[in-house]
Amino acid sequence: MTNDNLRSSVVTQGVQRSPNRAMLRAVGFGDGDFTKAIVGIANGYSTITPCNMGLNQLALRAEAGARAAGAMPQLFGTITISDGISMGTEGMKYSLVSREVIADSIETVCNGQSMDGVLAVGGCDKNMPGAMIAIARMNIPAVFVYGGTIKPGHHNGRDLTVVSPFEAVGEYSAGKIDEEELMAVERKACPGAGSCGGMYTANTMSSAFEAMGMSLMYSSTMAAEDAEKADSAEKSAFVLVEAIKNQILPRQILTRKAFENAISVIMAVGGSTNAVLHLLAIAHAVGVELKLDDFETIRAKVPVLCDLKPSGRYVATDLHKAGGIPLVMKMLLEKGLLHGDALTVTGKTIAEQLADVPSEPAADQDVIRPWNNPLYAQGHLAILRGNLATEGAVAKISGVKTPGITGPARVFESEEECLKAIMAGKIQAGDVLIIRYEGPKGGPGMREMLAPTSALIGAGLGDQVGLITDGRFSGGTYGMVVGHVAPEAAVGGTIALVQENDSITIDARTRSLHLHVPDEELERRRSAWQPPKPRYTAGVLAKYAKLVSSSSVGAVTDLGL
């Protein structure tokens, strides 16, 4: 590699850069190191959450790999919050905000330090899209290393995940289990390090990044505590150094074809609704045109092949044993539903990477279903529209027995109000719950609604009650739920005009979301509506509320700047 290829030469070369080199010598550079690539290692390590508690080991292995490959690694930290711990509290408003903070922090360090490439190590949900937004903005050689999935907990012969205690709360409040059983589930649900174990948001986004070619094959479903995870982190560093030498740039990888590949894989594995929001945001950062309707187009073509939690039976480690994301990708490729000519960070195409992967799942497992016997004939993430969501809304329709419901609206101005009503037994079969003013601006921060949705499942109402919100849902959510309603309540969207006992229809078959109120009555309500005062007037949430865009375009904070 010649020094001409390195943008770090602006701080390492020339007499005038003697003070810069003096600083670099203090952190380990020697005379022969100033012509080497400087590789940033963005380390999301923290002991805040099990998702990130194992990341430092991976960052150190990546550091060793970069050094062995002839580069000069520099570690720096970036933040995380735990969705699982903040869920159901005011703190959850900071979750989606953290995506932007992570993106801004990685961009700030890599550009401020003139780094030649970046290896990002992340675990909890927003680490991945946050890192990828930064990577897309900067367009310097990059690779993403996922911290890995948690292994399942075990209780009474069944696998547990973090969603299990959420659902157990609903079972307890409905009188189905006692406190002793609730505590047993709580104690066994999260046995160690790693991100939440089903096909929830973290594992969905890691799978998407593998499909997009920004992470190494098989890496997205490895367990955090297994040796192969650290080995993969080290190998990722070698791949990154080669990408720097060959100037393989993110914008060569993150093309329209890569996004379509990611969506196909997300549909096939039954991934999280949050993937819609995050892929729209990454596409915005990289300048690729991607719309909500693109998800619907691909959904119609791609079946759900994997029987994974939350609505299915298995966890990510089971998917890994069955062949992982490469096997799913090969099945899609064989059916013409994956772009094999898309580039990966290795310099090889997707088709080249999948050349030796089997085309069919093994007969002795049922985690990945054969093409002629899918879990669902079409994808599970539906884009709904109607007078209640003129810009669109996102519904996860897997695991739902009845794809449509019409019922009376039960209106709540916050998640807490709704959960309180569920726990008190005030929700009846046939109700359609509205949780509003929880959108990107209104929350602000678009909280996830895992507590109420899990409580409904635990109470046995998951297939009998609809829930509509301008907030988000956890990757662990399933049932007749519709999120990301846009326009949101805080900007005067129709969801702000719904009144108690209004009739509402959710219909996944026709992909419609309709409020049965005459247009003239809606106009009367709209003229009387007043925007709420901002909930925050200083600090990060106030800044976010001021800048954030609609969820229909990814809830980004730099639209039109």
Side-chain angles (χ1 to χ4, degrees), residues 95-421:
S95 171
L96 188 58
V97 176
S98 76
R99 184 188 76 178
E100 309 309 305
V101 177
I102 292 164
D104 291 350
S105 67
I106 293 174
E107 177 192 357
T108 299
V109 175
C110 290
N111 282 347
Q113 298 296 122
S114 303
M115 290 173 172
D116 298 299
V118 61
L119 182 149
V121 187
C124 199
D125 294 5
K126 308 312 173 297
N127 297 178
M128 281 152 282
M132 201 57 64
I133 288 168
I135 287 165
R137 287 178 191 165
M138 296 185 296
N139 198 35
I140 61 173
V143 66
F144 185 83
V145 173
Y146 179 43
T149 184
I150 196 171
K151 293 181 179 180
H154 302 286
H155 178 60
N156 285 346
R158 65 187 178 108
D159 285 345
L160 302 180
T161 70
V162 69
V163 176
S164 304
F166 279 98
E167 294 181 0
V169 168
E171 293 174 317
Y172 176 76
S173 68
K176 295 183 176 183
I177 62 172
D178 59 19
E179 187 174 356
E180 183 179 352
E181 176 68 8
L182 173 63
M183 292 303 297
V185 172
E186 175 188 324
R187 291 185 177 110
K188 297 176 181 178
C190 299
S195 297
C196 302
M199 192 46 70
Y200 310 149
T201 304
N203 285 325
T204 299
M205 295 312 299
S206 69
S207 300
F209 290 178
E210 184 174 321
M212 296 173 94
M214 290 301 301
S215 294
L216 301 194
M217 289 284 174
Y218 295 101
S219 66
S220 68
T221 51
M222 293 174 178
E225 296 179 329
D226 286 353
E228 64 176 346
K229 184 75 256 185
D231 292 342
S232 177
E234 185 172 27
K235 184 179 177 184
S236 297
F238 278 89
V239 168
L240 175 58
V241 173
E242 286 301 307
I244 294 170
K245 289 178 181 176
N246 297 312
Q247 284 298 287
I248 300 172
L249 302 177
R251 295 195 177 192
Q252 297 170 261
I253 302 168
L254 296 173
T255 61
R256 168 78 187 198
K257 289 181 178 180
F259 283 94
E260 291 181 355
N261 286 349
I263 296 169
S264 292
V265 167
I266 288 164
M267 295 294 177
V269 301
S272 166
T273 52
N274 285 308
V276 178
L277 193 75
H278 297 325
L279 288 179
L280 288 171
I282 297 163
H284 167 74
V286 82
V288 167
E289 187 172 330
L290 191 69
K291 292 185 168 61
L292 277 175
D293 291 339
D294 294 320
F295 290 82
E296 187 57 45
T297 300
I298 294 172
R299 185 192 76 81
K301 301 176 186 176
V302 178
V304 179
L305 298 171
C306 299
D307 189 3
L308 297 168
K309 291 180 183 292
S311 61
R313 292 178 292 168
Y314 296 105
V315 295
T317 50
D318 298 317
L319 175 60
H320 191 62
K321 292 171 192 168
I325 296 303
L327 178 53
V328 175
M329 291 174 68
K330 185 63 172 282
M331 293 172 70
L332 294 169
L333 182 67
E334 293 282 309
K335 298 298 179 180
L337 295 170
L338 206 71
H339 299 288
D341 58 343
L343 185 66
T344 75
V345 69
T346 65
K348 296 180 179 179
T349 65
I350 291 286
E352 289 170 336
Q353 291 276 81
L354 297 175
D356 297 328
V357 176
S359 299
E360 292 291 333
D364 61 354
Q365 59 79 48
D366 55 358
V367 183
I368 306 173
R369 305 278 279 269
W371 195 267
N372 61 4
N373 184 30
L375 206 62
Y376 303 99
Q378 291 182 315
H380 63 301
L381 296 181
I383 306 303
L384 275 54
R385 295 184 188 275
N387 69 345
L388 201 47
T390 55
E391 290 180 14
V394 183
K396 183 191 281 189
I397 58 176
S398 54
V400 177
K401 294 174 185 174
T402 53
I405 185 172
T406 297
R410 301 294 307 280
V411 181
F412 302 96
E413 308 297 338
S414 71
E415 177 189 2
E416 287 88 349
E417 284 185 21
C418 181
L419 181 61
K420 187 176 180 180

Side-chain angles (χ1 to χ4, degrees), residues 92-93 96 277 438-441 443-449 470-472 483-485 544 551 555:
M92 188 65 198
K93 293 180 178 180
L96 188 58
L277 193 75
E438 291 283 9
K441 285 185 178 294
M446 208 179 177
R447 285 194 291 183
E448 292 180 352
M449 305 291 160
D470 51 8
R472 297 181 296 131
H484 306 201
V485 169
Y544 183 85
S551 59

